[in-house]
Amino acid sequence: KAGVTQTPRYLIKTRGQQVTLSCSPISGHRSVSWYQQTPGQGLQFLFEYFSETQRNKGNFPGRFSGRQFSNSRSEMNVSTLELGDSALYLCASSLAKGTATDEQYFGPGTRLTVT
Amino acid sequence: LAKTTQPISMDSYEGQEVNITCSHNNIATNDYITWYQQFPSQGPRFIIQGYKTKVTNEVASLFIPADRKSSTLSLPRVSLSDTAVYYCLVGGPNSNSGYALNFGKGTSLLVTP
């Protein structure tokens, strides 16, 4: 079974621009979560989608948004990029129960650099 | 929100047992404890999850005392390939019908011959 895939793997953007990252979950997984990983803050939860609905949200500003499609694929968008948004963005999928109580399968991440 | 604290780094020799402890003094009643392993340039990989007492699978054991304010990941007979960063995650449903999630900063384990 194919794992979680994320595109693109690397991205360089300029301050003020916006960016869209894509995630394809494992076949049959209906929950998709997004995380930001930085050396200073570590792993931080962004949001989770289940059946095209945002089920859970972390403590990030409104510039960070996401959506999920009927085939469970998900996208996250960051508008008005700031230097501090440079990070590894990880997507994880799970069967159904949710981020805290389900085994999550992570993708390799998208490395975003904001200049 | 449960603040999750774990050692920054640990060293071990091949073949030894490694115990990594995570402190979560403010853990909530509904919170679960999960451990993930991460290699460079890869996403984290699930190791084990528990709620209380002891859980064991084919790769690790998780010990959780009765007060649940800490947990210990035990890796038996580590090998060089166990060199990685290990994350403790504490989280579960909260009163706002969402989830509260808190990752530790990660413990970098170095296994040497």
Side-chain angles (χ1 to χ4, degrees), chain A residues 5 7 20-26 29-30 32 34 49 52 67-76 91:
Chain A
T5 58
T7 56
T20 299
L21 311 180
S22 181
C23 171
S24 293
I26 291 173
H29 284 192
R30 298 170 63 191
V32 174
W34 288 89
Y49 286 86
E52 302 178 66
R67 59 177 176 169
Q68 186 180 34
F69 302 95
S70 58
N71 61 359
S72 293
R73 191 177 69 84
S74 177
E75 289 181 347
M76 70 161 281
C91 166

Side-chain angles (χ1 to χ4, degrees), chain A residues 1-6 23-35 90-96 98-99 102-109, chain B residues 34 36-37 42-47 58 89 103:
Chain A
K1 186 183 278 190
V4 177
T5 58
Q6 294 187 244
C23 171
S24 293
I26 291 173
S27 177
H29 284 192
R30 298 170 63 191
S31 169
V32 174
S33 299
W34 288 89
Y35 298 84
L90 292 158
C91 166
S93 73
S94 62
L95 278 170
T99 49
D102 213 0
E103 177 175 346
Q104 296 185 81
Y105 295 80
F106 283 81
Chain B
T34 311
Y36 286 87
Q37 175 193 56
Q42 294 185 25
R45 185 177 72 172
F46 175 90
I47 301 174
E58 62 276 9
L89 166 64
F103 278 95

Side-chain angles (χ1 to χ4, degrees), chain A residues 37-44, chain B residues 3-8 22 38 85-89 102-108:
Chain A
Q37 185 173 33
T38 60
Q41 298 299 318
L43 275 161
Q44 293 183 285
Chain B
K3 180 176 169 60
T4 310
T5 306
Q6 51 184 126
I8 294 173
C22 182
Q38 187 176 27
V85 180
Y86 293 82
Y87 290 95
C88 171
L89 166 64
N102 196 4
F103 278 95
K105 296 293 188 185
T107 299
S108 181

Side-chain angles (χ1 to χ4, degrees), chain A residues 9-10 37 43 88 90 106-109 111, chain B residues 20 35-47 59 73 75 78-87 106-111:
Chain A
R9 291 293 311 277
Y10 302 92
Q37 185 173 33
L43 275 161
L88 181 67
L90 292 158
F106 283 81
R111 173 74 61 186
Chain B
I20 306 174
W35 285 83
Y36 286 87
Q37 175 193 56
Q38 187 176 27
F39 297 109
S41 302
Q42 294 185 25
R45 185 177 72 172
F46 175 90
I47 301 174
V59 299
L73 172 71
L75 304 172
V78 294
S79 64
L80 299 178
S81 62
D82 292 318
T83 294
V85 180
Y86 293 82
Y87 290 95
T107 299
S108 181
L109 172 65
L110 175 63
V111 181

